[in-house]
Every structure is written in C-alpha cells, then in structure tokens.
C-alpha cells in the first residue's frame, strides 16, 4: 500500500536545513515498507536535497519511470534469489532488456549490483552462482552495446574480512580468498568498482564500553596505525582501508573501492547502544562534510569513495532489531527524522561538531585484542564460521588500540 502522493509535503529544503548542491550525494532507496510515498512524490524530495545518485535493491519500474529525465543516476539491484537463473545467458539478457535497456536513456541507469552481501551468507550454492551471474549480466550488456554506460558489480559487507585491525593488516577470510580473487579479477577486466557496506554503528553497538563514541562519529582525535604510521581520526576510514589492505594482499591494489552503504539509526532497542537521533545526526552530518571535502582515506587520499548513505526513508517492515527500521533520513511523510543543520555557507560552518583532525590526545585504553573495525550485522555473525581463536563474538568486537598521538 502506497501513500497518496498528493498528501506528501514537497519539502524544498534550503541549504541552511540540509546541504548544498555544490557536491552530490548518493542515497540508498530501500522500500521494505507499506507506508512509503509514491515514487513520483519522491522525485522533488530527492532533487531538493541535492541527491544526484540513488541505489535500489531491485529494478522497480515505478521508481525508474518516475525518475526519467531527471538526471539522477541509478544503481539497480538484481536480487540474490535470481542469481541461479542468471547462470543462463539468455535469462541474463532477458533481465537486462526488461529491467535496464527499456528505461535508457531517459532514466540514467549506470550500474547493476548483482546480489547483495552474497559471500557472507556462507551458502556455497549461492556463492558459486555470484560470479557467473555477474559475467552473464556483463556479457548481456556487451551484446546490447550498453557496457560502456552500465557497469556490473556486487556489494559486500565487512564480514568478508578475517583481519581488520590495524587497517594495514587487513586481510580477507581465508575461505573466501579464491572467490574474492575471481571477483576482483572481474572488476579489473571490466573496470567496475568493488563495493563495500561499511557501518561503524554495528561495531559500536557490539562493544560500546570499549569503543569511544566520538571515534565512530567522526569527532575523535584518532589513532595511529603502527603498521603504516598513518593517522585515522574515524572508524569509517579505518574500516575502508582495512579492505584496501586486503585487496592489495591479493594483488588488486588498483581496483577502485567504493562505499555502497553507510549510515546510523535514529532509534534502537534497549540493547542497541548509540541508536539515537542525535548520534544519527552527528554521524550523517559529519559524513556529508567528509563527502563535501572530497576526502579519500589515509591510505588512498585522492580516492573518490562515491558514498551512498543508508537510507532515504525509515522502512517499517524490515526484519530484525528496531534499528533496522530506523536508518532513514526521512519519515514516510517526507519530513526529516532529524535536522542535519547545515547553513548557507556550506558544510564548513555546520552546527554538527567538527569531524576531528586535532592532535595531541590519547584514546581510552581497551583490553580486548585488536580484531577491530569488523562491522557486520547479528545475522551475518551467526552465519560466520568460528575460525581459530576468533569466536563470533570476537568478530563482532571492534577494538581500538590506545596510542599516544
């Protein structure tokens, strides 16, 4: 059931309320809800906040038609349930024709995400279907002369990492190394990005007593990676560079890594530490400042992370803990869940606290081993096998080594 679009307020935000159009923002447009506005009513909302890129988890025809001739770029999704079918080249071509080609060029579809977080389901059949599906979708694009304008990729969560702290020691899970090498080789051949969903929130929620909140909210003085000597003033960059290190260890230093999801919930259950409107405002506000400054990571300072914030709306039918239904920047009626508070002079004078960068401080001591920064959901943790001394609990913990700056 969709909300009557005529009843949705068209909220034309000024730069003082949200953020300027001086830079573009990507947003995940999830729709696991029964109270969301019609896509046609979403168009002015998306445009008013300066969003130029949207990521879908399907290829919803209502959305793709509504955004025709708007200039908004789309990543469309091909669900995990279709991977086996896509092993058939004819089925892959039929899917591309039906879900991509017919909307071009009016709707600017630039990427197809084949599956979502497939490898951490630890389902061997599903995992074995991923790369063939990606290859066949790409081959279909080639046959239709669309491969120069539409890329093929897939998104992973940080459960693919076995070692993630310090960032310079990042390494993929040994049981996934072969599959990830083949996927990275595919990215090399076709020139598409390696997508990662990175959530400092999950790391903090798992161990709030040991992880400084300011570090995950981009407000800490930071840490130094003893392996590389690089300074990290936030967990987000540390998570990303752990993946960079893992990729480099497999010989894929030049594959572009981009962030397909990150965000912070405004509400959670009693045991979900940090899930508040104020923390969500700080995280996403500081994240948007980071995007506006066009900063890469300490390991890749010139990299465009092409970040997609999760998510556009709260989704009232998502399963799992309360936080899962409260990652939205907006309520279903189009009103903001919280005010990000930017003024007309841009992100530099936002009311949100600074994203750090100061020196001369120390991080609180932690007693857990530095298996850190691994950001995975509880469901993903349940699917992860125990390996050596690392239990699922250890995988959930993101420990920060206390170092004098």
């Amino acid at each position: 059931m969709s909300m009557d679009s005529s009843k949705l307020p068209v909220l034309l935000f000024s730069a003082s309320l949200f953020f300027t159009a001086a830079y573009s923002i990507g947003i995940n447009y999830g729709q696991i809800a029964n109270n969301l506005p019609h896509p046609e009513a979403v168009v002015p909302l998306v445009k008013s906040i300066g969003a130029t890129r949207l990521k879908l988890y399907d290829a919803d025809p209502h959305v793709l038609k509504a955004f025709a001739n708007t200039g908004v770029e789309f990543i469309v999704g091909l669900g995990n349930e279709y991977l086996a079918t896509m092993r058939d080249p004819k089925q892959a071509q039929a899917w591309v024709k039906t879900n991509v080609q017919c909307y071009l060029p009016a709707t600017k579809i630039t990427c197809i995400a084949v599956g979502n977080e497939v490898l951490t389901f630890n389902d061997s059949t599903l995992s074995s279907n991923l790369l063939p599906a990606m290859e066949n979708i790409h081959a279909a694009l080639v046959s239709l002369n669309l491969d120069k304008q539409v890329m093929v990729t897939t998104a992973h969560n940080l459960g693919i990492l076995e070692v993630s702290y310090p960032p310079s020691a990042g390494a993929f899970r040994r049981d996934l190394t072969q599959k990830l090498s083949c996927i990275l080789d595919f990215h090399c051949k076709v020139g598409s990005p390696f997508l990662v969903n990175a959530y400092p929130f999950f790391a903090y929620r798992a161990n709030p007593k040991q992880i400084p909140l300011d570090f995950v909210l981009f407000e800490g003085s930071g840490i130094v990676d003893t392996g590389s000597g690089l300074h990290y003033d936030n967990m987000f960059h540390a998570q990303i560079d752990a993946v960079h290190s893992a990729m480099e260890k497999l010989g894929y230093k030049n594959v572009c890594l981009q962030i397909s999801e990150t965000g912070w919930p405004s509400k959670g259950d009693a045991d979900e530490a940090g899930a508040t409107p104020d923390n969500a405002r700080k995280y996403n506000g500081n994240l948007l400042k980071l995007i506006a400054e066009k900063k890469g990571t300490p390991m890749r300072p010139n990299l465009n992370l092409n970040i997609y914030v999760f998510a556009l709306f709260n989704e009232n039918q998502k399963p799992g803990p309360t936080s899962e239904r409260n990652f939205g920047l907006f309520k279903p009626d189009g009103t903001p869940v919280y005010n990000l508070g930017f003024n007309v002079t841009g992100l530099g004078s936002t009311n949100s606290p600074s994203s750090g960068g100061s020196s001369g401080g120390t991080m609180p001591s932690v007693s857990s081993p530095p298996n850190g920064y691994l950001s995975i959901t509880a469901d993903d943790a349940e699917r992860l096998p125990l390996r050596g001394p690392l239990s699922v609990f250890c995988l959930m913990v993101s420990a920060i080594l206390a170092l004098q700056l």
Side-chain angles (χ1 to χ4, degrees):
M1 179 177 69
S2 297
M3 181 183 295
D4 183 350
S5 62
S6 65
K7 296 180 181 178
L8 177 73
V10 178
L11 301 174
L12 298 178
F13 289 91
S14 68
S16 63
L17 177 63
F18 208 71
F19 50 87
T20 69
Y23 65 99
S24 68
I25 182 71
I27 301 182
N28 286 273
Y29 184 0
Q31 298 181 83
I32 305 178
N34 62 3
N35 60 352
L36 297 183
H38 190 279
E40 289 183 359
V42 178
V43 174
L45 176 63
V46 167
K47 295 182 75 173
S48 71
I49 63 176
T52 60
R53 295 173 286 118
L54 290 179
K55 177 171 164 282
L56 302 179
Y57 294 87
D58 53 18
D60 186 335
H62 299 101
V63 174
L64 295 174
K65 289 175 183 177
F67 279 84
N69 302 309
T70 62
V72 174
E73 295 184 11
F74 276 89
I75 296 177
V76 297
L78 190 158
N80 294 353
E81 65 272 25
Y82 299 114
L83 296 185
T85 304
M86 294 303 111
R87 293 188 72 115
D88 180 349
K90 292 182 179 179
Q91 293 289 341
Q93 185 168 78
W95 190 92
V96 171
K97 285 182 175 179
T98 301
N99 296 282
V100 177
Q101 186 183 39
C102 68
Y103 299 106
L104 296 171
T107 303
K108 198 174 181 181
I109 299 172
T110 59
C111 185
I112 301 169
V114 178
N116 187 52
E117 301 184 343
V118 172
L119 298 184
T120 44
F121 276 91
N122 296 324
D123 180 326
S124 58
T125 301
L126 188 66
S127 295
S128 67
N129 289 331
L130 177 58
L131 184 58
M134 294 171 69
E135 291 172 333
N136 285 342
I137 290 293
H138 177 71
L141 291 168
V142 171
S143 70
L144 297 169
N145 200 30
L146 297 175
D147 58 301
K148 302 302 181 186
Q149 63 187 102
V150 183
M151 299 183 295
V152 175
T153 186
T154 188
H156 310 274
N157 66 35
L158 294 185
I160 60 176
L161 292 177
E162 181 168 301
V163 178
S164 54
Y165 186 87
S168 59
F172 292 125
R173 279 171 45 185
R174 283 166 287 180
D175 62 316
L176 297 180
T177 297
Q178 184 176 2
K179 288 184 174 66
L180 285 164
S181 292
C182 293
I183 289 171
L184 285 162
D185 192 56
F186 170 85
H187 290 306
C188 274
K189 290 177 180 177
V190 306
S192 59
F194 186 81
L195 299 186
V196 170
N197 301 335
Y199 286 94
F201 166 72
F202 292 129
Y204 179 77
R205 181 181 68 178
N207 204 13
K209 292 182 179 179
Q210 294 181 326
I211 299 175
L213 182 60
D214 59 357
F215 187 61
V216 296
L217 295 178
F218 302 95
E219 296 179 349
S221 55
I223 63 168
V224 172
D225 183 327
T226 54
S228 66
L230 294 173
H231 174 265
Y232 288 86
D233 60 15
N234 64 81
M235 182 182 282
F236 179 65
H237 278 166
Q239 289 180 328
I240 296 168
D241 275 353
V243 181
H244 277 136
S245 294
M247 292 165 63
E248 188 169 346
K249 286 179 174 65
L250 293 186
Y252 294 96
K253 180 178 181 179
N254 295 324
V255 172
C256 179
L257 187 156
Q258 297 182 349
I259 307 305
S260 41
E261 291 182 22
T262 191
W264 196 282
S266 59
K267 185 179 180 181
D269 294 322
D271 61 349
E272 294 193 281
T276 68
D278 189 51
N279 287 338
R281 178 186 62 82
K282 289 177 180 178
Y283 183 85
N284 285 322
N286 288 326
L287 176 70
L288 291 172
K289 286 203 300 181
L290 200 74
I291 295 170
E293 292 165 359
K294 299 182 179 179
K295 284 186 177 180
T297 68
M299 197 176 289
R300 299 283 192 277
N302 298 317
L303 176 66
N304 178 9
L305 294 171
N306 207 38
I307 297 167
Y308 283 78
V309 179
F310 189 87
L312 186 58
F313 293 110
N314 284 337
E315 299 171 72
N316 69 344
Q317 292 186 317
K318 288 196 73 175
T322 297
S323 62
E324 288 294 319
R325 294 175 288 283
N326 289 279
F327 273 88
L329 300 181
F330 296 96
K331 300 174 185 177
D333 65 0
T335 58
V337 177
Y338 44 84
N339 183 359
L340 289 176
F342 297 120
N343 61 32
V344 292
T345 60
L347 294 172
S349 57
T350 177
N351 292 329
S352 297
S354 171
S355 59
S358 60
S359 60
T362 59
M363 295 295 289
S365 296
V366 294
S367 57
S368 296
N371 299 320
Y373 303 131
L374 194 54
S375 168
I376 53 179
T377 65
D379 286 343
D380 290 322
E382 290 168 4
R383 290 192 290 265
L384 287 173
L386 301 180
R387 50 184 64 259
L390 294 180
S391 66
V392 170
F393 173 75
C394 287
L395 285 172
M396 289 291 290
V397 172
S398 291
I400 301 171
L401 187 63
L403 293 172
Q404 180 72 36
L405 296 179

